[in-house]
Amino acid sequence: MTIVGSSKIGRAAPSAQPEPEDPREWCVMAAKLLADDQPEAALAAADEAIKRDERIEWGHRLASLALERLGRDAEAVAAAERAVRLAPGSWAARLRLGSALRRTPGRWREAWTQAAKAVHFAPEEPDAHVLAGDLALARGEHDRAARSYRAALDGAPDHLVARINLSLALLRWERPRPHHDPAWVIDPRETGGARNAVETWARQVRLLFAVALPPVVAAGLLGGHRTQAAIAGLAVLALAAVPTLRQARRMRIWSYLPQILARDVWLTVKVALTPLSALAYTAAVLTLPVQTVPASARTGLLGFVVLNGAAVPVVRVLVEAWRGRPVLALAELTAALPERTARRNADIALWIVAARAWSLTVLAALVSPLIGGLATGPGRLAAALAVPAGIAVPAGLAWARRRTGLSGQLRRLMKADRSLALALALAITASAAIAVAGAAGALGGRAASSVAVWGWRAVPVALAGAAVVFVLRTVRARLSGLPGPWRESLVFCEGCGRRQPGDISPPVELSEEVRRAFTSSRGVVLAYADPSGPRAMAVGAVASIGPTGELCLIADDDAWQAAERDPRVSIFAADPIERRFWTEVCGTALGDAEAEVLRVTPKRVVIGEYPGPARGRR
């Protein structure tokens, strides 16, 4: 048995000078140029193929890919649509059209439809699942994206794009525009303008209150002009109308604002803090003339108004450190190392792990008994309970190291990002200090008590040091334009590695003997899937073979319904002349109601020999 045609044909070496009238040779040349990252030359070669035969679906597909790489997205979509019209049953054409559509604003749903058809036509092809995963990840549908990437890895464990993007799904990564739903028909630039207007309004109003309240309070309490300070403070409230009106004029899509806020959680937090800041500011100003208001209440109102802007980033870092599953993500990224994108994302995932270790150590320090109780007899049991709390973080990090398989790569990653190594070391030091202090406090005695006291003093120093390292690393990243230690620095992988995209693969070409076998044989058999199991039926003969290799069959309703459920079919025919061989075409079946035929697009062609005297035939 010999496979003479398959959609998995490797990249053929193009002729130095393609034959002038052979469009397939020009397509081979275009595919080679795309693999060498020469889209302009590839587009010229694809155009030459199309000039010689406008019905060659492969040429339109290659032209679309070249146009996409040149940034001509609208033309890429048009070329991909022509490829689909020529071969509607081709999974590669559907994949190409879905890939082109996802770059066009407002056409996400169409892209998803094409990706779903590509998966339906060829579930064994990993790139179809990767496109479905990419589209789901663009909407923040992380679980669906993870399932698609895992399906791709089941068939191709070496698929770097699927593995790296699976790690992003596990980390609950969001694209740079989390406020925008790609399924919306509106241009993302418009929703981006609306988001910027809302965020600018919230920031300016809160900054106005934060700057105005301290001098107003100081003038009222320290200067003794309580009433005058309250009046001046209330006048500041009127100034808040200036940024409000300015940013309201920038809003063009008020109807999308609730949906934008629903998708962007942190924007919603900033917006919600703005009226709360206004209320706290008003309460602080109105209570200035009232001398019976407790000082703690005034301090709380002042702190909320002044510090809420600085508190949001801190809270965001801590909250986002606990989103996703960084250990599983690191396991996927480790398998993709040393690829550059995988290395960068692994560094960010390790920062997330470091933030978790730091926050757990802070929690252990807060819930442990007070230092004074640890060093005395009655507090020995409580001190002993601090030991497992201190050991938990180093033990968890050691488990994560084994679980991710990072042992061989960790030293290299730490050497590339020394700030990360220092932050992890300080977090481990703080956790170890808790364990040492707890053990010393449990032992009792003057020497042990001294060790416990110094251990507990080292805990806040190490934790503060780790926080300072993070801040300095953040500032350096901001100033130098390097990726910072935060979730937004994660990179989506597209085209990583040397693997060529599936939509570049050549279509199956039917040889003359295979065409003759199907058009001349009267014993053509169609095999398809049925709820009760595999089925086969005789269809007599193939009505015709299209220019792209499509086999047009006249079949009954059962075959049509089966093709709608599962379009993967096989067609068998025997050599009509000498009956020495048989051929099988595995492909995708689509019903053509207008022509009343079942069109089968080949994905693989197999030729086998009958046993007997003709066994030695090639």
Side-chain angles (χ1 to χ4, degrees), residues 133 136-137 140-150 166 168-170 172 325:
L137 194 60
E141 299 175 350
H142 302 105
D143 293 336
R144 176 184 284 185
R147 288 193 297 270
S148 295
Y149 293 134
R150 288 194 175 101
L166 172 58
L168 296 182
L170 293 171
R172 294 298 191 259
R325 308 173 72 179

Side-chain angles (χ1 to χ4, degrees), residues 419-431:
S419 298
L420 172 62
L422 182 57
L424 277 171
L426 288 171
I428 294 173
T429 301
S431 183

